[in-house]
């Protein structure tokens, strides 16, 4: 589950540098995806359920896991933190920002908790036909990890239609650039949480990025989201 050769890891990091997002190959087998989907029927696993329409966030539902996190979620989160931390450090250096992310996820979460960000943020998202997710950023306090992950748990084209993952990058002195991506079952999409460095005439500048989901036309679309800073 979620292991990469050094060459594969570096290829992902290079793609993140160039585009602000990267699709991996499969990180979960179909059986693993089904196991995670079954957790939605166990309300005790979650600390909060959000009706997106009620909060004008789109339409659909998402649920934040409570402690203790299920083992697969905990293991995936730690593995992806290790993969993404070098990119986070590189981006911070390019933008002249602090880089408070220690070697391990446990140490980083301890930093979040000392700052009052103690609520776990890994979540399950569920969409039916007609549901969608408004463009947004997942910021839960002053401490932010600059990348996050979403993993598809259903198969586009067979389990559902529509529901493309959307990224919109606000380019300096230019029109925004949009990207729509199908998320295969068991594959992970790594993407920018808030902003990313892009080359500029003065070296590097930050360009803001928001993400969302287009309208699901039919079927059911479920995903696992991994955010690496906890919430206040």
């Amino acid at each position: 589950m979620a292991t990469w050769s050094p060459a594969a890891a570096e290829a992902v990091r290079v793609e993140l540098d160039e585009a602000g997002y990267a699709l991996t190959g499969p990180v979960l087998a179909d059986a693993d995806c089904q196991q995670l989907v079954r957790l939605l029927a166990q309300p005790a696993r979650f600390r909060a359920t959000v009706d997106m329409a009620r909060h004008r966030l789109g339409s659909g539902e998402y649920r934040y896991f409570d402690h203790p996190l299920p083992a697969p979620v905990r293991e995936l989160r730690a593995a992806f933190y290790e993969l993404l931390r070098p990119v986070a450090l590189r981006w911070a250096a390019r933008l002249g920002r602090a880089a408070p992310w220690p070697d391990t996820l446990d140490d980083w979460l301890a930093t979040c908790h000392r700052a009052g960000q103690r609520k776990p943020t890994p979540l399950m998202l569920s969409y039916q036909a007609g549901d969608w997710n408004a463009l947004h950023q997942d910021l839960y306090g002053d401490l932010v990890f600059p990348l996050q992950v979403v993993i598809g748990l259903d198969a586009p084209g067979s389990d559902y239609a529509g529901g493309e993952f959307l990224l919109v990058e606000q380019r300096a002195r230019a029109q925004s650039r949009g990207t729509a991506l199908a998320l295969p079952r068991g594959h992970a999409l790594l993407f920018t949480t808030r902003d990313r460095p892009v080359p500029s005439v003065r070296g590097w500048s930050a360009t803001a990025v928001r993400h969302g989901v287009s309208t699901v036309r039919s079927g059911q679309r479920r995903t696992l989201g991994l955010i690496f800073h906890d919430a206040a």
Side-chain angles (χ1 to χ4, degrees):
M1 181 187 294
T3 57
W4 299 270
S5 69
E10 187 55 28
V12 166
R13 293 169 184 148
V14 168
E15 190 170 356
L16 283 167
D17 275 342
E18 293 178 351
Y21 65 88
L23 268 170
T24 71
V27 298
L28 292 175
D30 287 354
D32 299 322
C33 295
Q34 293 163 6
Q35 178 185 1
L36 287 167
V37 165
R38 284 195 290 270
L39 295 176
L40 287 167
Q42 302 176 35
R45 290 280 197 175
F46 302 93
R47 66 173 178 84
T49 297
V50 177
D51 180 333
M52 294 166 62
R54 179 182 176 186
H55 296 277
R56 300 175 66 98
L57 302 174
S59 178
E61 180 181 275
Y62 56 89
R63 290 182 162 190
Y64 290 105
F65 284 103
D66 202 353
H67 290 305
L69 297 178
V73 176
R74 185 175 64 250
E75 293 164 7
L76 283 164
R77 200 183 190 200
F80 276 110
Y81 178 86
E82 182 179 353
L83 174 71
L84 295 174
R85 180 176 172 268
V87 181
L89 297 176
R90 192 154 61 220
W91 287 8
R94 288 172 177 174
L95 294 173
R97 295 176 176 173
W101 311 293
D103 290 347
T104 69
L105 176 63
D106 285 345
D107 287 344
W108 166 237
L109 292 177
T111 300
C112 291
H113 297 173
R114 287 193 295 271
Q117 294 179 214
R118 299 185 179 91
K119 298 176 183 177
T121 50
L123 71 165
M124 296 280 286
L125 303 101
S126 182
Y127 304 88
Q128 309 284 342
D131 289 344
W132 57 283
N133 194 344
L135 294 171
H136 66 284
Q137 297 172 324
D138 293 309
L139 309 175
Y140 299 102
D142 292 336
L143 296 179
V144 175
F145 192 79
L147 294 128
Q148 62 192 83
V149 178
V150 62
I151 301 173
L153 303 178
D154 294 294
S158 55
D159 293 327
Y160 66 92
E164 293 84 5
F165 190 88
L166 304 176
L167 288 164
V168 176
E169 181 176 282
Q170 179 60 58
R171 299 180 299 162
R173 296 177 297 281
Q175 296 293 327
S176 298
R177 180 175 68 178
T179 302
L181 298 158
L183 184 57
R185 179 165 55 196
H187 292 227
L189 176 66
L190 325 178
F191 62 98
T192 306
T193 298
R194 177 173 58 189
D195 56 17
R196 72 183 188 94
V198 295
S200 69
V201 294
R202 297 181 180 179
W204 297 93
S205 62
T207 184
V209 179
R210 295 180 295 161
H211 65 276
V213 174
S214 71
T215 301
V216 176
R217 298 194 299 275
S218 64
Q220 189 171 27
R221 178 191 190 274
R222 277 100 30 123
T223 57
L224 169 67
L226 299 175
I227 298 163
F228 300 98
H229 44 273
D230 278 350

